[in-house]
Amino acid sequence: MTRVVVTGGSGKLGRAVVREFASSGYDVVLLDRVPSPDLPDGVAFVRTDLTDYGQVLNCLLGVDDRYDRVDAVVHLAAVPAPGQIPDVALITNNVTASINVFHAARAARIQNVVWASSETLLGIPMGEHHPPYIPVDEDFAVRPKSSYSLGKAVEEEMARHFTQWDPQLKMIGLRFSNVMDETDYPAFPWDATPEAKTFNLWSYIDSRDGAQAVRRAVESDLTGFEAFIIASPDTVMDTPTIELADRFLPDVPRNAAIDGVSSLLSSEKARELLGYAPQYSWRDGR
């Protein structure tokens, strides 16, 4: 059985990821500062401070009689958004945790690492600073605008160099859009206040589809560093996307057709290289 360590597995996305792997027959170990409120049967929880390299290395080498090896690491643990703690504290916490996980995985000879990067690297919050074109993809340089997104840019650059040191290493950064689950959907759609969601072009990702993307990334036979946008194929709006683009992004070039309520964050690369196939929408319960 393949053993996957999931850091931050007690959070919103983390709980979905843990369920996805556990239900798919994996042996799952959850590392976090707090236990999950709905830990699946058979999943081990180890209380861990990911800013302490010794603890991280210990967890990736094996913990006493809990487990003795790890095949893959999914790193989700982080302060999840800017403004929650002071800027420097945020980037220090997040980047320290990530370098600890990356370095400990290398020391433990784990060559399968997937972690949560972020849509914020695309220039979010966009506001008056529009993207170079829409729909947005991974083909332009990252544009961090906060301590949180700067940390994600540092993580991607670190991963790029780690994979140069070891050609067999796989490090995949998933640039998740705003993670939502069924408890969030009663507030949808956002047509009455579309300006409230311009910051990420009215995009989101259902936590269950985010978890599917993580599993597919772990199971992929890619090597080296890759970054993927992971967003739902639709927006948080009922208003046609082209109408939103014409109103809020009139001068931004369009590099592909914009149909219906399609997202302006393209996950086509993830579809092609990972087989990512989103299945859930906030519209399902209407």
Side-chain angles (χ1 to χ4, degrees):
M1 182 182 294
T2 300
R3 178 171 292 121
V4 178
V5 161
V6 180
T7 77
S10 298
K12 179 188 285 189
L13 177 61
R15 295 195 300 273
V17 168
V18 167
R19 289 193 298 268
E20 175 79 15
F21 279 105
S23 65
S24 299
Y26 287 80
D27 185 0
V28 184
V29 178
L30 191 165
L31 308 184
D32 211 322
R33 289 180 173 176
V34 296
S36 171
D38 54 356
L39 192 70
D41 292 341
V43 173
F45 168 69
V46 180
R47 192 181 305 273
T48 310
D49 179 357
L50 292 160
T51 65
D52 182 332
Y53 178 72
Q55 292 188 39
V56 178
L57 180 60
N58 189 163
C59 288
L60 297 192
L61 289 172
V63 175
D64 282 345
D65 59 351
R66 304 293 295 279
Y67 58 94
D68 60 1
R69 66 165 219 294
V70 173
D71 300 300
V73 179
V74 173
H75 175 45
L76 307 177
V79 177
Q84 299 192 7
I85 61 175
D87 298 340
V88 173
L90 186 151
I91 193 171
T92 299
N93 178 87
N94 288 2
V95 173
T96 299
S98 294
I99 185 61
N100 285 349
V101 170
F102 294 173
H103 196 282
R106 185 166 186 258
R109 302 185 185 280
I110 300 167
Q111 295 186 312
N112 193 348
V113 179
V114 176
W115 88 98
S117 189
S118 172
E119 67 176 358
T120 59
L121 288 179
L122 305 172
I124 293 167
M126 291 185 179
E128 297 178 358
H129 303 282
H130 293 159
Y133 51 78
I134 51 176
V136 173
D137 58 24
E138 300 87 351
D139 288 345
F140 61 89
V142 298
R143 310 163 81 186
K145 292 184 177 178
S146 67
S147 56
Y148 174 78
S149 56
L150 179 59
K152 294 300 182 183
V154 170
E155 292 168 12
E156 288 197 3
E157 189 64 17
M158 287 194 300
R160 196 172 279 110
H161 291 290
F162 269 94
T163 57
Q164 290 172 350
W165 297 345
D166 180 358
Q168 299 305 309
L169 176 62
K170 175 178 71 181
M171 298 191 74
I172 292 180
L174 299 177
R175 296 176 178 175
F176 290 109
S177 188
N178 197 13
V179 178
M180 300 288 179
D181 63 23
E182 292 164 294
T183 64
D184 298 303
Y185 295 151
F188 288 40
W190 286 79
D191 295 79
T193 54
E195 61 280 352
K197 295 295 182 177
T198 57
F199 75 95
N200 75 339
L201 304 183
W202 310 279
S203 295
Y204 77 106
I205 177 66
D206 186 284
S207 61
R208 294 163 292 183
D209 285 329
Q212 178 216 139
V214 171
R215 178 178 56 78
R216 289 183 181 275
V218 165
E219 293 174 348
S220 73
D221 58 4
L222 298 172
T223 56
F225 164 74
E226 292 285 354
F228 296 92
I229 295 171
I230 303 297
S232 290
D234 62 336
T235 68
V236 301
M237 311 287 286
D238 276 335
T239 303
T241 306
I242 192 65
E243 292 184 20
L244 296 168
D246 288 343
R247 176 180 172 186
F248 292 98
L249 307 164
D251 300 322
V252 177
R254 291 92 195 273
N255 63 353
I258 300 173
D259 300 319
V261 291
S262 60
S263 175
L264 292 178
L265 299 188
S266 172
S267 299
E268 189 59 30
K269 179 182 176 183
R271 292 176 184 271
E272 292 179 357
L273 296 186
L274 299 179
Y276 168 60
Q279 301 175 4
Y280 299 97
S281 169
W282 66 269
R283 302 168 205 277
D284 295 341
R286 300 179 77 181

